[in-house]
Amino acid sequence: MSQHKLILSMSMGRKKRKIWPWIVGGIAIVIAVICVYALSSDDTNNIQTESHPIDINDLGMQEWEHLSELTRQSMDNDIETELPMPSPENANPFLINGKITRNQTLFVALKNHGLDINDIHQVIDSMQEVVDFKKTKPGDRYEVHLDVDRRIIKFIYEISPEDISISERNGNEYVAHKVDVHKRTERKFVSGEVTSSLYQSFVALGESGELASHFMQLFKYDINFGTDSQRGDTFSVLVDRITLNGAFYRYGRVWAATYSSGARAKTLEAYYFDSNDEFAGYYNASGQALKRTFLKNPVVGCPVSSPFNPRRMHPILKRIRPHNGIDWACPTGTPVMAFADGIVTYANWKGGNGNLLVIEHAHGYTSLYAHLHGFGIGIKKGTHVRQGQIVATVGNTGISTGPHLHFGVKVNGKYVDPATINSSYSISLTGNKLHAFNQKKDALIAAMTNPKKNGQTESASNE
Ligand SMILES: [Zn+2]
């Protein structure tokens, strides 16, 4: 609290001294120039700068001015720059509504409200049984009910709408319990016809745009809804809807979906295979995964500067050396995406490769990314990555003539030309897996063709 007041008074004082903006502006320009220089140089700066809270390049002059005020105050950790705004809730002297902020414990949060320390200890102690405080996080909500002496009568802690606990005063002690939230999952069949847009058509059926985007995500490899979707196309989806105490809370899994495109004279189908292994996912009716195994390219918008070539004259070493990959000329800092799902096996400096990232994928594939500027946040040996996830940035480290990504792919230990990898390839289920999938698919189709008989809710249009 006192810190907020201090910041407020500092910034009010600043307004009187008109020369400040010029001095601060000058400093900001010098620092910005240094930063731009540092970013463009070929150093091995790592982009894992989680502890650096503010990127100066993202700040306007006014923000910078404000920041420099704070900097002189103390720039060490997290400073709440937001001033507490009086809200209608806070106007009630017997009720406190709050949220846990970054690096704040529940104890500190409650203490900041000036509550009785003994009450706070007792309330938190009583909650240990029902709240896993390891799971608490910034943004968790709490509500405190007070009596006329500002002693705690009731305390409510909300980790999520499904996970709410209450501690209430009972004589001289506090007793806590979890709130009984009636969570229900019902499977619903929704079907309709595209009128103006697919999104609008979902909304017209009483569903939220969130379901429309789930749906579009499923078929993104097969259809561009922005250009290929037409009036009269039909769609259907079998989805779990989760309600809390009877009110819609959110969507759960989409179990199946179809889209019939008039223009393409075909029907796209997606069925979820809830297998307990890496085969879990969406497949079409014949058991082929909807998701493509490989990205087209790990970088976007960069020209190829050197193709795969087993007999290339090396531009620096001036010797015939195989070029075991493709070079893309990209500016330093261009995001590099994981070529496929996999596990990072190397993320470190390696001689002439500079910063090197190696990811191991299924089916004997390995991808390598060299001369990187830095690695993505959390990217280290053992990290699981998803296809398309940003894992690094392009750089000019190691033996390199300019910023570029060297991208290599090995299949069972042997380099192959990445350009020959079929980006439309996806895995197909076979044998026992296909058999298990077909059984589940048949049940889903039955649920979609006769939702009533299978205990499903009616189509949204009948609601
Ligand atoms: Zn190369």
Side-chain angles (χ1 to χ4, degrees):
M1 272 309 172
S2 60
Q3 197 175 41
H4 292 310
K5 278 179 194 155
L6 192 56
I7 292 164
L8 184 63
S9 61
M10 292 281 294
S11 53
M12 289 201 313
R14 170 162 51 85
K15 289 204 173 81
K16 289 169 198 153
R17 288 171 281 146
K18 286 274 159 56
I19 194 154
W20 253 112
W22 296 100
I23 296 172
V24 171
I27 294 169
I29 290 165
V30 169
I31 290 177
V33 166
I34 292 168
C35 281
V36 167
Y37 178 75
L39 283 174
S40 61
S41 68
D42 297 340
D43 61 14
T44 55
N45 269 352
N46 204 293
I47 58 168
Q48 288 175 286
T49 50
E50 280 167 296
S51 59
H52 186 0
I54 300 163
D55 183 347
I56 291 159
N57 292 301
D58 292 336
L59 297 175
M61 206 54 89
Q62 264 191 321
E63 286 92 330
W64 170 253
E65 218 178 357
H66 182 60
L67 174 67
S68 64
E69 295 278 352
L70 299 178
T71 309
R72 277 183 286 119
Q73 269 297 105
S74 78
M75 191 62 223
D76 47 3
N77 273 316
D78 294 306
I79 294 168
E80 275 295 302
T81 50
E82 269 174 61
L83 296 171
M85 295 297 284
S87 67
E89 289 87 4
N90 289 347
N92 181 344
F94 305 111
L95 186 66
I96 296 169
N97 272 296
K99 271 187 196 173
I100 302 289
T101 59
R102 272 193 298 167
N103 296 346
Q104 192 184 42
T105 61
L106 176 58
F107 179 81
V108 169
L110 296 180
K111 193 168 153 262
N112 286 351
H113 291 291
L115 300 173
D116 186 286
I117 299 290
N118 202 28
D119 280 4
I120 299 174
H121 278 301
Q122 284 198 52
V123 163
I124 293 177
D125 275 353
S126 74
M127 292 215 121
Q128 297 289 350
E129 293 280 299
V130 291
V131 177
D132 182 359
F133 282 106
K134 276 186 228 109
K135 281 191 198 158
T136 62
K137 59 191 181 309
D140 285 357
R141 294 168 175 279
Y142 58 85
E143 190 176 303
V144 193
H145 296 243
L146 303 169
D147 65 15
V148 287
D149 301 317
R150 280 188 74 78
R151 301 287 306 276
I152 301 173
I153 303 173
K154 184 156 116 180
F155 176 75
I156 303 170
Y157 195 78
E158 185 178 322
I159 291 178
S160 74
E162 297 156 287
D163 191 350
I164 302 171
S165 301
I166 296 184
S167 176
E168 282 176 286
R169 192 165 71 196
N170 185 1
N172 284 328
E173 55 170 22
Y174 289 89
V175 182
H177 65 274
K178 272 224 185 291
V179 174
D180 200 7
V181 176
H182 291 281
K183 182 178 164 185
R184 266 198 66 194
T185 301
E186 59 175 21
R187 204 161 290 184
K188 183 174 178 180
F189 180 67
V190 179
S191 66
E193 198 176 299
V194 175
T195 49
S196 56
S197 75
L198 181 61
Y199 180 87
Q200 288 295 337
S201 308
F202 269 100
V203 173
L205 287 169
E207 300 300 330
S208 87
E210 191 196 330
L211 183 58
S213 67
H214 272 313
F215 186 92
M216 290 188 251
Q217 230 10 60
L218 277 180
F219 295 120
K220 69 176 177 184
Y221 298 99
D222 297 290
I223 186 169
N224 179 344
F225 286 103
T227 55
D228 300 347
S229 180
Q230 280 190 349
R231 176 185 282 264
D233 287 356
T234 56
F235 60 88
S236 68
V237 56
L238 186 65
V239 61
D240 280 349
R241 295 172 105 256
I242 298 165
T243 58
L244 297 181
N245 296 332
F248 175 70
Y249 169 43
R250 63 176 167 84
Y251 292 103
R253 172 150 344 271
V254 169
W255 287 97
T258 66
Y259 189 85
S260 294
S261 155
R264 302 171 125 227
K266 73 172 184 182
T267 296
L268 303 170
E269 291 165 275
Y271 302 99
Y272 186 75
F273 182 34
D274 58 342
S275 192
N276 282 331
D277 49 25
E278 73 272 21
F279 290 99
Y282 292 95
Y283 294 84
N284 67 17
S286 54
Q288 189 183 18
L290 295 194
K291 181 178 167 174
R292 304 300 182 257
T293 306
F294 305 107
L295 281 186
K296 265 204 176 76
N297 298 320
V299 281
V300 180
C302 310
V304 170
S305 55
S306 183
F308 182 84
N309 182 357
R311 288 189 59 80
R312 178 179 74 156
M313 179 67 79
H314 193 277
I316 293 179
L317 303 175
K318 306 288 182 202
R319 284 189 270 127
I320 300 270
R321 285 249 323 232
H323 186 230
N324 290 324
I326 297 179
D327 286 350
W328 271 285
C330 315
T332 294
T334 304
V336 176
M337 296 173 287
F339 189 50
D341 293 354
I343 297 172
V344 173
T345 55
Y346 193 89
N348 215 328
W349 186 270
K350 195 170 188 190
N353 292 294
N355 283 324
L356 176 72
L357 175 70
V358 182
I359 305 175
E360 212 170 275
H361 311 289
H363 319 297
Y365 282 76
T366 306
S367 58
L368 301 90
Y369 315 75
H371 311 301
L372 300 169
H373 185 70
F375 302 102
I377 289 168
I379 299 298
K380 55 181 193 292
K381 192 178 174 187
T383 306
H384 284 254
V385 295
R386 310 288 299 175
Q387 180 199 67
Q389 183 181 335
I390 294 171
V391 287
T393 51
V394 172
N396 188 24
T397 57
I399 300 176
S400 171
T401 52
H404 77 286
L405 173 70
H406 170 93
F407 174 63
V409 175
K410 282 182 183 175
V411 181
N412 297 323
K414 284 201 167 148
Y415 282 107
V416 297
D417 183 356
T420 61
I421 294 168
N422 182 358
S423 64
S424 61
Y425 170 82
S426 69
I427 62 158
S428 288
L429 298 171
T430 54
N432 286 342
K433 288 288 169 196
L434 182 61
H435 182 71
F437 167 74
N438 279 334
Q439 284 186 327
K440 295 193 185 233
K441 179 189 74 182
D442 290 345
L444 292 173
I445 291 172
M448 290 176 94
T449 45
N450 200 346
K452 247 186 187 166
K453 191 182 162 195
N454 289 278
Q456 312 301 342
T457 322
E458 282 284 354
S459 169
S461 53
N462 296 341
E463 271 187 351

